[in-house]
Amino acid sequence: MKKQTLILALAACLMGIAVTIFLLFNTSGPDASRMKIIYIALIILLLHGCYRAAKHIKSGGRKPEIIDTKKRLEECYSTRQVVVRFFDPRDMHFRTSLNLFILVAAALLASPVVFQLLLALTILVKALLLWKEIKYANIYQEAIVKIMNSNIEDEKQEIDEVRVNDIVDMLTQNKRQCIYYAFTPQNTSPLPIGSSKFGGQPDVPDTFRWPTDKSGRPLSLLLQIDCADTAPHDEEHLLPSSGHLYFFYELGEMDWESKNGNVRVIYHDSTAGPLHRCDFPDTLAAEYRLKECALQFSRHDSYISFEDLCDLSLQCNYDDCDNYYEAIERLKIEHPNEDECIGSMLGYADLVQNAIVDNLDEQVLLLQLFSIEAHGDKELMFGDCGTIYFYMSREALQKKDFDQLTFELQCF
C-alpha cells in the first residue's frame, strides 16, 4: 500500500470523526438515542482507523498486518498466550473493528434474525482464525525446540572428554567453602537491634558517623551482618567471629570502582559499646533508603569461575569454555533458592566479566551482592543485572582493616 494512499486514509478518518461528532450533538427525533449510539460506535471505528493508518505509515506500507501477526505468534509460547494476544485491542485489525461496528448497527436497526445471523457468522470466522493462529504458533514453537535440540547435540559433539575430566579434577581440588546469604521467608519489621539484614537503618554505637562520598553524598546501607551468624559457616575463620559488619554504597551514581569514596565497609567490635538504630540522614533520598529484610546464612561449595581461570592462566584458556561448563554441570552443584539468595561471602566470585584480583590465594572475596529483581517490594539493580564485589587481602582481613578494599561493579 502506497504511503500517499495511507495519508489520504488517515485524513479521511479524521474528517469522518469531525463530521460524526457534529451529527452526534445535532441529531434529534424519536430515533435520536439509537443513532447517537451508532455515532459513538462510528467514532471509535474511525479512531481505530486512524491508529491502523498511522501504523501502516510508520512501517512504510510493507504489509504490517502480516508482519505483526507473524511477530505476535512468534512471541507466544502457549495456547493461552495466543488467545490473550488474539483479543488484545492493540493488535486488532481494522476489519475486526468494522465487523463490531456492523454488529452494533445491526443490533439497533436490523431485525433480530439478521443480527443473529451476522453474530453467528462473525463468531465462526473469528473462531477459525483463532484456530489457525494456535496451529501456526504450535508449529513454530515445535520448530524452535527442534533447532535448539539440534544445537545442543552439536555442542555436545564438540566437548573434549579428556579436558572435561581434567577440569573436573582441577575444580574439585581447588574447591572452597562460601557462605550464601538470603532473604528469610518470614520477615517481621522492625527487626531486633543488631539483626543481620538487608537495607534499613543501621544499628550502630554512639561513635558512628554516617559515611559519605568525596562529594558529600550519603551512602546507602546495603547489608548489616552480625558476625555471630556467619561464624558457624566460616571454616577458615577468616571473618570476625563477633561484632558487626556494615556495607555501604552510593546508589545515585553507582561508580564502578571506589575512586570517589562511594564504598565503605565498617566493622564494629561487640565490646565497643551498645547499639542503637540510627536515623537516615535528611540528605539521603527516599529511593536510596532500602527497605530492611532479615537475612539467613548457609554454607555451600564454591568453584572458581571460568573468567578467573582464564584471566589468571590457571590451567585453562578461552577455548575451554564449553568444557568448563560441561564440567560444572557434571559436578551437580547445589545452589540455594535463587528467588531468595542475594549474594555470598568468601569462596569464589560469580564473575560477570573479567577477573578482579590477580591472586586468589592472597585476596579474599569478602562479599558479592547480586542485583535484586522485583523480590516483593525490594528491588536493587547494579547496571544491567550486575553484581558488586568486595575483596580484601588476608593480612588486612586478619587485622580487621576494612579500609583496604578492592571494589568493582560488573554487569552485562
Side-chain angles (χ1 to χ4, degrees):
M1 189 180 295
K2 293 183 179 181
K3 189 173 182 179
Q4 295 87 339
T5 305
L6 294 171
I7 294 173
L8 288 174
L10 178 60
C13 287
L14 291 171
M15 186 179 296
I17 291 172
V19 172
T20 308
I21 291 175
F22 174 80
L23 293 174
L24 177 65
F25 290 101
N26 291 276
T27 297
S28 59
D31 294 327
S33 58
R34 287 192 295 177
M35 291 305 300
K36 286 184 178 181
I37 294 174
I38 293 176
Y39 291 149
I40 293 172
L42 182 57
I43 290 171
I44 295 173
L45 170 66
L46 293 172
L47 285 172
H48 187 246
C50 292
Y51 167 76
R52 294 302 298 180
K55 195 170 185 179
H56 280 247
I57 293 170
K58 186 177 180 181
S59 68
R62 297 187 302 274
K63 297 184 178 179
E65 291 189 359
I66 296 174
I67 296 171
D68 289 351
T69 301
K70 183 175 182 293
K71 182 180 179 181
R72 182 178 75 242
L73 293 177
E74 290 174 356
E75 292 174 350
C76 295
Y77 298 95
S78 67
T79 300
R80 178 180 174 277
Q81 287 180 312
V82 175
V83 173
V84 170
R85 293 294 295 269
F86 184 82
F87 290 103
D88 191 334
R90 294 170 296 180
D91 295 323
M92 183 185 295
H93 296 159
F94 184 74
R95 60 177 175 269
T96 301
S97 56
L98 179 60
N99 289 341
L100 293 175
F101 170 75
I102 292 173
L103 285 174
V104 171
L108 294 170
L109 301 177
S111 65
V113 175
V114 172
F115 169 71
Q116 291 170 7
L117 287 174
L118 288 174
L119 179 61
L121 181 61
T122 300
I123 293 174
L124 176 61
V125 171
K126 291 301 176 184
L128 289 173
L129 289 174
L130 178 58
W131 174 79
K132 184 178 179 181
E133 292 198 3
I134 292 173
K135 184 178 179 182
Y136 174 85
N138 289 337
I139 292 173
Y140 177 79
Q141 293 305 323
E142 288 174 2
I144 292 295
V145 170
K146 288 181 180 178
I147 292 172
M148 292 178 64
N149 290 338
S150 175
N151 290 338
I152 291 172
E153 291 300 322
D154 291 342
E155 290 177 3
K156 287 183 178 179
Q157 292 173 4
E158 297 174 3
I159 296 298
D160 184 334
E161 287 294 332
V162 175
R163 288 295 295 145
V164 169
N165 292 331
D166 289 342
I167 294 172
V168 167
D169 291 340
M170 184 267 297
L171 291 173
T172 304
Q173 291 169 11
N174 293 277
K175 177 178 66 175
R176 294 179 180 176
Q177 294 294 305
C178 71
I179 304 172
Y180 279 111
Y181 53 94
F183 291 132
T184 56
Q186 302 295 329
N187 186 37
T188 57
S189 186
L191 297 170
I193 297 292
S195 300
S196 294
K197 64 181 181 178
F198 167 86
Q201 299 163 249
D203 303 324
V204 292
D206 292 335
T207 55
F208 172 79
R209 295 294 178 268
W210 198 286
T212 60
D213 65 9
K214 293 179 181 178
S215 301
R217 292 173 298 196
L219 312 185
S220 297
L221 176 67
L222 299 177
L223 299 170
Q224 171 179 291
I225 295 178
D226 183 349
C227 296
D229 292 336
T230 59
H233 309 290
D234 182 8
E235 281 190 332
E236 295 186 62
H237 306 291
L238 295 170
L239 302 172
S241 59
S242 62
H244 287 80
L245 282 170
Y246 308 87
F247 293 82
F248 287 88
Y249 184 43
E250 202 285 305
L251 296 176
E253 295 294 329
M254 281 198 184
D255 288 341
W256 291 47
E257 298 177 347
S258 55
K259 294 180 179 178
N260 192 36
N262 61 315
V263 173
R264 202 74 46 85
V265 176
I266 298 173
Y267 173 66
H268 166 63
D269 193 325
S270 57
T271 62
L275 303 178
H276 70 277
R277 187 147 293 170
C278 180
D279 291 334
F280 291 115
D282 294 337
T283 52
L284 182 63
E287 60 186 304
Y288 304 138
R289 302 180 182 188
L290 304 178
K291 183 170 177 138
E292 71 174 15
C293 183
L295 297 176
Q296 59 186 358
F297 300 86
S298 58
R299 183 168 58 197
H300 293 266
D301 293 337
S302 174
Y303 298 91
I304 188 169
S305 71
F306 180 68
E307 291 76 15
D308 270 330
L309 276 177
C310 295
D311 290 351
L312 303 180
S313 301
L314 299 175
Q315 308 174 39
C316 229
N317 57 60
Y318 283 101
D319 293 335
D320 280 320
C321 182
D322 292 338
N323 298 322
Y324 172 86
Y325 287 106
E326 178 66 20
I328 287 291
E329 185 174 337
R330 293 183 186 184
L331 286 169
K332 301 186 183 303
I333 300 171
E334 180 184 355
H335 294 286
N337 189 332
E338 294 182 357
D339 293 333
E340 296 178 350
C341 179
I342 59 173
S344 67
M345 306 178 73
L346 310 180
Y348 296 107
D350 299 310
L351 295 172
V352 177
Q353 298 177 6
N354 51 282
I356 298 173
V357 297
D358 56 9
N359 191 319
L360 293 175
D361 291 325
E362 294 181 4
Q363 297 290 323
V364 176
L365 176 66
L366 178 62
L367 180 133
Q368 63 178 350
L369 175 60
F370 310 136
S371 288
I372 300 168
E373 299 184 67
H375 190 285
D377 56 357
K378 291 170 286 299
E379 183 172 353
L380 178 60
M381 297 296 295
F382 300 116
D384 185 6
C385 296
T387 300
I388 57 174
Y389 307 88
F390 299 78
Y391 281 91
M392 286 182 66
S393 69
R394 286 178 179 266
E395 181 181 359
L397 191 52
Q398 287 175 355
K399 295 178 179 179
K400 299 182 178 63
D401 183 5
F402 291 94
D403 291 332
Q404 303 300 316
L405 282 175
T406 297
F407 171 85
E408 189 168 310
L409 182 157
Q410 294 185 357
C411 65
F412 294 94

